[in-house]
Amino acid sequence: MSETPTPRRFTASGPLRGTMRVPGDKSISHRSLMLGALAIGKTTITGLLEGEDVLATAAAMRAMGATIERGDDGTWTVHGVGVGGLLQPAQALDMGNSGTSTRLLMGVVASHGITASFTGDASLSARPMGRVIEPLSQMGAQFTPSPGGTLPLMMRGCLPAVPITCRLPVASAQVKSAILLAGLNTPGITTVIEPVATRDHSERMLKGFGARLEVEEAEGADGPERIIRIHGDADLVAQDIVVPGDPSSAAFFIVAALIVPGSDLRIENVGLNPTRAGLIDVLREMGGQIDLLNPREVGGEPVADLRVRHSQLHGITVDPALAPSMIDEFPVLFVAASVATGQTVTSGLDELRVKESDRLSVMATALRAIGASVEEREDGLVITGTGGTPLAGGGPVTTHLDHRIAMSMAIAGLASTNGVSVDDTAPIATSFPTFEKMLLERAS
């Protein structure tokens, strides 16, 4: 990511109209590269998200022995080394801003007999890694992190690793995925128990690549829980993967079309995995007109085209049980709530405090700076909307190197009187390099 800040002012726009596609799903793109590198044979990937986070994953897998190339037509090929075949990287693995790359690759390395050093940018280096370090240490991996359990971090994998049963104290798809990836090269059965279902791309894709994996819904002492078991010493088989459009990227344009008068926008090929589609359910409950067209399945993932029209939204109390299915979309939901009628109440969002930034605090400060009425609570925000009146605007708002904060405040600028200044749009390249260009095209 560029070290030079790129400030920009986003101003009120005309209606968002026409048809568009957002880049490929980031979660699936990461996992396609990792699993392709751990498979035997040639994996082809169409629609890979070519943001900086995903490219960091590609570079790391290359450094550990996989051959990864991009064709002129945008198709990526991965020649894997097989589970257990990773090589010692010659240099530190630079994760940039990508928490997903870091945590999942720590899982991959944990059950290989190699040592790897992980580094990252200032934002990533402030993020805690303890939730991943603890279970992987139980499997035998050894860690030397920086004070506070952060990057830079050195780890030594364990061969053979020890299978564990890990009950996650907090729902986290990244921690779950790290343990399952470590379990691929671990003799026996590695088990993860999660209190609520988190995004399940890892489970779907591990099965697709040939891993033996079982998922069971059970009644635990504190209510329903989800049990995932993966059988070790796995042999993965190369696949041809078509990556659907990222629902987290589509979220910004969905909210923009809902809050900008006169908008009627079609977003094609959006992934609608039920563990990721919570935002659409919440926005519909708020009165948003979002139609699902041509629903279909691509590579085991549900996909549809979305038609989104300007709507007068109203505040609701968001069910905290939905949080895992829309955890990355809350910043832009807060923008929608700011111009809705009445009060929107969110809770159960402790996870947002340990993302690229403390997204609860940062969004509360940013929205207040542009005229929104926001109360910050320990685990959520309470936002009293304007009833459809544009926000005053202002800034510059501080994004704290967080791509989703930058994009959310850009969308807020479209529904403001005086525009919204963002201190740095450079972080957007980590997940959505074409965001500003597409926004200009749709909102001109």
Side-chain angles (χ1 to χ4, degrees):
M1 191 170 67
S2 171
E3 296 295 325
T4 304
T6 309
R8 181 165 178 185
R9 187 171 190 82
F10 295 88
T11 57
S13 76
L16 284 78
R17 297 184 178 276
T19 300
M20 64 177 292
R21 286 193 175 214
V22 295
D25 185 280
K26 188 164 73 155
S27 297
I28 295 174
S29 294
H30 280 302
R31 289 160 176 79
S32 298
L33 292 167
M34 292 182 196
L35 295 178
L38 292 170
I40 297 294
K42 183 178 81 169
T43 291
T44 64
I45 310 169
T46 305
L48 187 88
L49 171 63
E50 296 181 5
E52 291 176 356
D53 282 9
V54 174
L55 297 181
T57 292
M61 300 316 297
R62 284 192 193 103
M64 291 188 284
T67 301
I68 302 177
E69 298 171 332
R70 183 190 188 279
D72 292 339
D73 62 352
T75 299
W76 289 68
T77 57
V78 183
H79 293 270
V81 297
V83 173
L86 294 180
L87 304 177
Q88 174 89 28
Q91 298 176 327
L93 304 177
D94 184 357
M95 299 288 95
N97 187 243
S98 181
T100 302
S101 302
T102 307
R103 295 188 175 107
L104 269 59
L105 286 171
M106 285 165 61
V108 169
V109 170
S111 56
H112 285 74
I114 60 177
T115 298
S117 177
F118 291 83
T119 63
D121 67 9
S123 171
L124 181 61
S125 297
R127 297 178 67 180
M129 296 296 157
R131 288 183 299 166
V132 181
I133 290 173
E134 183 175 346
L136 296 182
S137 296
Q138 293 173 21
M139 298 180 76
Q142 298 178 347
F143 295 85
T144 308
S146 297
T150 60
L151 303 190
L153 173 151
M154 178 79 74
M155 72 172 291
R156 182 187 299 275
C158 180
L159 188 67
V162 179
I164 63 170
T165 295
C166 180
R167 186 182 299 274
L168 298 181
V170 177
S172 169
Q174 291 182 359
V175 178
K176 170 182 68 176
S177 298
I179 299 167
L180 294 177
L181 288 167
L184 281 173
N185 200 42
T186 300
I189 300 173
T190 298
T191 304
V192 180
I193 303 170
E194 55 180 1
V196 295
T198 60
R199 58 181 64 179
D200 65 354
H201 301 302
S202 291
E203 295 95 307
R204 289 173 183 252
M205 296 184 72
L206 282 163
K207 283 184 179 180
F209 273 85
R212 187 177 166 197
L213 182 143
E214 295 120 16
V215 179
E216 174 190 348
E217 307 287 342
E219 191 66 33
D222 299 318
E225 57 189 20
R226 193 164 175 267
I227 304 170
I228 308 113
R229 300 181 181 91
I230 190 162
H231 296 249
D233 293 329
D235 292 318
L236 302 186
V237 180
Q239 300 292 310
D240 293 329
I241 297 172
V242 178
V243 182
D246 194 321
S248 296
S249 295
F252 300 101
F253 288 90
I254 293 170
V255 169
L258 289 174
I259 66 177
V260 174
S263 296
D264 188 346
L265 184 65
R266 182 170 175 141
I267 311 172
E268 295 183 329
N269 194 47
V270 179
L272 293 178
N273 183 302
T275 63
R276 297 282 303 283
L279 178 71
I280 291 175
D281 295 335
V282 168
L283 290 172
R284 281 174 155 178
E285 188 180 348
M286 294 174 72
Q289 298 182 73
I290 306 172
D291 299 321
L292 273 56
L293 310 176
N294 188 24
R296 54 204 184 271
E297 192 168 283
V298 178
E301 293 277 348
V303 172
D305 304 332
L306 306 181
R307 184 186 180 191
V308 189
R309 285 170 282 179
H310 171 249
S311 308
Q312 180 53 59
L313 303 177
H314 56 81
I316 63 169
T317 297
V318 180
D319 183 353
L322 288 171
S325 68
M326 55 179 292
I327 197 67
D328 286 330
E329 287 74 71
F330 275 99
V332 78
L333 175 68
F334 296 151
V335 173
S338 296
V339 293
T341 298
Q343 198 172 72
T344 298
V345 180
T346 62
S347 60
L349 304 183
D350 310 75
E351 179 74 6
L352 289 187
R353 294 204 182 274
V354 292
K355 286 288 190 177
E356 283 85 336
S357 66
D358 178 343
R359 287 181 174 162
L360 290 179
S361 176
V362 172
M363 281 301 296
T365 300
L367 288 170
R368 287 191 196 108
I370 64 169
S373 175
V374 184
E375 175 192 348
E376 181 180 349
R377 296 179 177 175
E378 187 63 33
D379 66 342
L381 301 183
V382 177
I383 299 175
T384 302
T386 64
T389 303
L391 294 162
V397 297
T398 304
T399 59
H400 295 271
L401 300 176
D402 191 327
H403 55 130
R404 297 200 195 281
I405 303 295
M407 289 186 281
S408 297
M409 297 312 295
I411 299 305
L414 304 186
S416 69
T417 302
N418 299 310
V420 171
S421 293
V422 173
D423 71 338
D424 191 5
T425 61
I428 293 173
T430 64
S431 66
F432 199 161
T434 56
F435 170 79
E436 293 177 80
K437 177 176 180 290
M438 293 176 73
L439 190 63
L440 185 64
E441 289 172 348
R442 289 294 136 227
S444 56

